[in-house]
């Protein structure tokens, strides 16, 4: 059983930055990848980016590439999402997720999810 808890969300102006964190507790021995997803009311959950846990290789959705950076600390099992140059369309609830099967964008392959943290970007 793995528990994930996101933190660091908030309300900011367009152009500002935020750093989200994802704390892990519990078993992570089978972790292959971790991802960040976001969701706004009335829309499907959207892939933001992900990381291959062992190698640290990262992958990003086109909408955030060049502005967002995912990193991890293997020793503490922490996952981070640095978000720069935020835009109003980045508004949503951000979730971290763990997968034993993938390190890319298929949300169905992620089997542990946090409860989310709200990010609101004002224009």
């Amino acid at each position: 059983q793995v528990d994930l808890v996101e933190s660091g969300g908030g309300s900011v102006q367009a152009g500002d930055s935020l750093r989200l964190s994802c704390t892990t507790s519990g078993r992570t021995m089978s972790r292959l990848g971790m991802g960040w997803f976001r969701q706004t009311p009335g829309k499907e959950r959207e892939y933001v980016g992900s990381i291959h846990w062992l190698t640290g290789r990262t992958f990003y959705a086109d909408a955030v590439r060049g502005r967002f950076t995912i990193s991890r600390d293997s020793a503490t099992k922490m996952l981070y999402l640095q978000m720069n140059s935020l835009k109003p369309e980045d508004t949503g609830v951000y979730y971290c997720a763990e997968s034993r099967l993938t390190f890319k964008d298929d949300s169905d392959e992620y089997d542990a999810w946090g409860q989310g943290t709200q990010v609101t970007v004002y224009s």
Side-chain angles (χ1 to χ4, degrees):
Q1 180 68 31
V2 173
D3 293 318
L4 306 175
V5 179
E6 303 91 341
S7 61
S11 298
V12 296
Q13 296 290 325
D16 286 350
S17 298
L18 279 175
R19 188 192 196 206
L20 306 185
S21 300
C22 176
T23 303
T24 302
S25 60
R27 178 195 54 78
T28 60
M29 292 178 60
S30 301
R31 174 180 293 178
L32 178 62
M34 291 199 72
W36 287 100
F37 295 81
R38 65 188 182 190
Q39 189 167 23
T40 54
K43 293 186 178 181
E44 292 187 359
R45 187 164 50 198
E46 176 187 18
Y47 170 78
V48 174
S50 56
I51 187 167
H52 187 286
W53 193 255
L54 180 62
T55 66
R57 185 180 177 187
T58 53
F59 306 85
Y60 299 96
D62 290 343
V64 306
R65 186 176 292 111
R67 299 188 297 121
F68 290 12
T69 303
I70 294 174
S71 60
R72 56 81 167 106
D73 184 326
S74 297
T76 61
K77 306 175 187 177
M78 292 286 294
L79 178 72
Y80 303 99
L81 179 65
Q82 177 67 43
M83 305 186 294
N84 298 330
S85 302
L86 282 161
K87 303 176 181 180
E89 51 263 45
D90 294 319
T91 294
V93 178
Y94 282 69
Y95 300 89
C96 65
E98 178 194 80
S99 177
R100 295 169 294 169
L101 302 175
T102 188
F103 49 89
K104 292 194 177 180
D105 61 351
D106 187 347
S107 62
D108 290 339
E109 300 293 339
Y110 287 81
D111 45 26
W113 294 80
Q115 292 186 326
T117 185
Q118 177 71 45
V119 171
T120 303
V121 184
Y122 295 100
S123 58

